[in-house]
Each structure stands twice: as C-alpha cells, then as structure tokens.
Amino acid sequence: MDRQGTQGEGARGQGTAAYATFGLAPATRAGGVLPDGAYQAHREYLDFTVDGAPLLPRLDGVDAVSPLAADMGPSIFTAHVRRLLLEAEAPLADGRYVLYGCPECEGLDCGAVTAVIEREGGPDGADDGAIVWRDFAWQTELTADLGRDGYPGVGPYRFRAAEYRAVLERLLAEGGERPAPRRVLLVGARAAVLNRLANALRQTGIGTEIAHDPANTDAAELRTYGAVAFGRGIGDEQRQAARAAFEAAGSDAAFVDGLAPAIPVLVAQIEQALDRGPHGQRQLAGLEAADGTVTVHVGLPCRVRLTAYRLDRLFRTHTRELLDETLEPGSHRFTLDAKTARGETYVVARAPGGVLVAPAARARAGAA
C-alpha cells in the first residue's frame, strides 16, 4: 500500500484549541479485478468524521481503511474500539494508535496512518476533559518520523471526552452502529457466466448468491442484499417481478441492468452499485466516455486509475491502462486512441473509495 499525493489540498486541516465534533460514518474501499488479473479486496468500514466531514480524504487520498471494519471478528473489532477509548495500551511507541491501515492486511510494513491519542484535563476516565488526536503520520516502522512522514496540515483535534466516548461506546452496545457486510444477488439464466462472476466477487470479499427467480425469496433474506444484478437473458416481466419483491420487503438494494460481458467490468459495475456514500464526499463524481474522449470528474484529491476494456468480434477482452496518477478536484479529459475505441469498449475509473463504469459511446455515422 503506497502513500499517494502531496501535502496541500489533500491534507486539509487546522490546528486549533477549539473543540471539534467526533463521529463515525459508513465508508467503502472499493474492490475489483485489476488489469493484471489480481483481486483487490472490498472493505466496508466506519470512517472517522471531524466536524461532520470524513477524515480519510484529508490524508493525501491514501488507500487505507479504519480498524472498525465490518469483516473483523467481534473480539478484534471490540479490541480496536477499546484502544480508541484509551482503555487498552497503545500498540505503537510514543502512545501512537493506528487510525487507518492496509486494506489487504494488517501489517505495518504496508504503511499505516497513526496518531497520538491522549487525554487532556480531568482524571482518567472523566468526561469533563478532552480527547486529543495529534501528530498524524504515515508510519511503516515501529517509530514514526514526523519530519519526513508527518501531516503538518492535519490536527491536532480536541474532542469533548463525553461525546467522544458516547460515539465509541455505542459500537460496543448490542445493535450498535457497526456496519453490516453487503451481499449481492445475481439473477440470470446463464449459469456459467454467473458462476464466474460470483467467484470473482467472492475473491474480492463480497458475499454473492445466484438465483433464477427471487420473487418467492423470504423478505428478511432480500433485505440482506446491497445490490441485485440482472443478466442479459432476464426479460422485463421477470425483472419487474423481482423489483416488486424487493420493494415489498423494504429493501434498499440497488439494481444493475445491462451487465457488460467482461468479468472485470461486471465486478466494477457491481462495486459502483454498492457505493452509497454522499455524492458531495465521493472521490469520483462522474465518468463519461464518448467519441474517443474520456472525462472523469474528481470530487476529492485521489489516485485515479483509468482502464479500457475492449471486446473484439470473438468476444475476447483486450485491456489497456490509460492512466494511473493522483488527480485534483475538477474535470479531467483524456483521449482514447482509435484502436481502443473500436468495437464494444468500456472504461473503468478506480479510486480507493469508489469505482465508476462508462461504455465508450461512438458517434453515429453522419453525426457531427
């Protein structure tokens, strides 16, 4: 896991003696099948918020997740919460705690965002003091080098102890705010294609089931799915019946139609459907591909990977990497070469926190 970007717009923050508000918000690290065939893990976790805004985007757009992840075992999840509550010893030297770590493993060798967490004022455990997060750093060894790897524009943050503890203690209570892993239901008639897609999704960490007709499935089961993907062989009547069943069950699942005939693109389409983050806080705000031009709209500074997948007349997939660099907020345009834009082509934009897919539409003959 590499630290990407530069200090500045991606490392916004302010040191102040005033209190900041502390909170948690659901977040996703998008998984997928990468151009080299490797699988990238899908992770759902709780991000920390400071004054109502997620903290992670302020840290150079690093690809990392908090230790409050949905797929952590109950005892491990609880241990992380206890540490943040300062009820357990700091795992690193100088009172440093891991706030974000590698999405693929928990090794410090991959790098982690750490900070000193300490009490300020009042006796231990008292609610009339403050909890301070300070000296943020990117750490790959047992000790942090603030001069080389610090985030000088981030923190320190002072949280009211009572409010801070209340947010974290809710996670330890039965029925707390811990995120539930999202599952995907694949509805289709071509078992071979669905099995390949289901296997790819499971490899990324997304629970997946296959059904031909979900209309008679138990309502409680339907509510566990975050997305429903329809294969090309499913007719309108069957799609409508399935949608009606999910609506009657009170499900908020997203529906994916028009699946692309390439596994990496299929996985990306489903990742896009699973993204429920607020639009104003997404790294990728939009993607268009038409007439040989790709336009990606960036909402927050982040590392962006653009990949084109082209299907030839024999339905073989040809992959071309177009871009892999950190982009600032705004609209960025890139040109597709004539060969890549020929035939049935899809463009996938990947950032640590999201994925977008767009078919590369071509101008009709005679059109301007």
Side-chain angles (χ1 to χ4, degrees):
M1 181 178 67
D2 296 326
R3 175 178 174 180
Q4 297 290 331
T6 58
Q7 302 279 344
E9 185 65 23
R12 292 183 300 269
Q14 47 181 306
T16 175
Y19 284 108
T21 60
F22 176 80
L24 298 168
T28 301
R29 188 268 192 157
V33 182
L34 301 180
D36 62 2
Y39 293 100
Q40 179 171 287
H42 172 100
R43 303 292 303 278
E44 296 180 14
Y45 64 99
L46 293 172
D47 194 5
F48 308 109
T49 65
V50 178
D51 290 332
L55 176 60
L56 185 58
R58 310 182 193 193
L59 303 169
D60 292 351
V62 65
D63 183 14
V65 300
S66 85
L68 306 180
D71 54 359
M72 289 289 186
S75 61
I76 299 176
F77 187 92
T78 299
H80 285 303
V81 176
R82 295 292 185 195
R83 285 175 178 170
L84 293 172
L85 285 167
L86 302 182
E87 295 176 0
E89 186 177 352
L92 300 173
D94 303 320
R96 302 191 71 83
Y97 294 79
V98 175
L99 299 183
Y100 300 98
C102 176
E104 307 289 342
C105 69
E106 292 190 62
L108 189 61
D109 291 344
C110 293
V113 176
T114 67
V116 174
I117 302 180
E118 60 187 6
R119 294 184 180 89
E120 180 184 273
D124 288 353
D127 287 341
D128 56 352
I131 301 295
V132 180
W133 287 15
R134 63 174 175 83
D135 296 340
F136 288 77
W138 176 256
Q139 190 167 345
T140 56
E141 301 174 348
L142 294 179
T143 58
D145 186 335
L146 294 179
R148 181 188 65 194
D149 299 320
Y151 291 94
V154 179
Y157 301 117
R158 299 174 68 250
F159 308 111
R160 289 183 172 85
E163 297 175 359
Y164 178 89
R165 294 184 62 85
V167 170
L168 292 172
E169 286 174 349
R170 279 200 297 270
L171 297 179
L172 302 178
E174 184 177 358
E177 299 175 7
R178 180 177 178 178
R182 309 285 276 180
R183 298 199 300 157
V184 173
L185 182 65
L186 308 179
V187 182
R190 299 181 62 185
V193 175
L194 294 180
N195 285 329
R196 289 200 301 272
L197 174 56
N199 179 66
L201 289 168
R202 291 167 185 152
Q203 290 288 336
T204 69
I206 298 177
T208 308
E209 303 294 337
I210 299 173
H212 181 67
D213 184 3
N216 296 321
T217 303
D218 180 73
E221 176 77 6
L222 295 181
R223 288 193 293 271
T224 67
Y225 295 106
V228 183
F230 295 108
R232 293 188 173 188
I234 299 299
D236 289 340
E237 184 175 344
Q238 192 172 348
R239 292 171 191 250
Q240 292 173 5
R243 288 174 180 267
F246 275 89
E247 183 178 356
S251 168
D252 63 350
F255 295 94
V256 184
D257 292 290
L259 289 173
I263 295 299
V265 183
L266 289 169
V267 174
Q269 286 180 301
I270 290 173
E271 280 285 357
Q272 179 176 339
L274 287 172
D275 189 352
R276 302 300 180 85
H279 286 278
Q281 298 176 359
R282 294 185 182 183
Q283 294 172 328
L284 297 176
L287 176 69
E288 297 116 29
D291 303 336
T293 300
V294 178
T295 304
V296 57
H297 305 282
V298 178
L300 297 169
C302 60
R303 178 184 181 184
V304 177
R305 296 179 177 179
L306 284 180
T307 309
Y309 297 88
R310 180 177 66 85
L311 276 72
D312 62 21
R313 289 178 294 179
L314 299 178
F315 294 99
R316 295 173 300 192
T317 303
H318 302 267
T319 304
R320 182 177 178 83
E321 293 193 61
L322 307 175
L323 176 78
D324 185 357
E325 63 182 70
T326 299
L327 299 180
E328 293 297 318
S331 298
H332 304 266
R333 291 177 175 82
F334 308 92
T335 300
L336 283 175
D337 62 82
K339 182 178 180 180
T340 302
R342 186 175 67 236
E344 187 173 1
T345 300
Y346 298 84
V347 177
V348 175
R350 294 183 179 89
V355 176
L356 295 178
V357 181
R362 291 169 295 168
R364 293 172 297 174

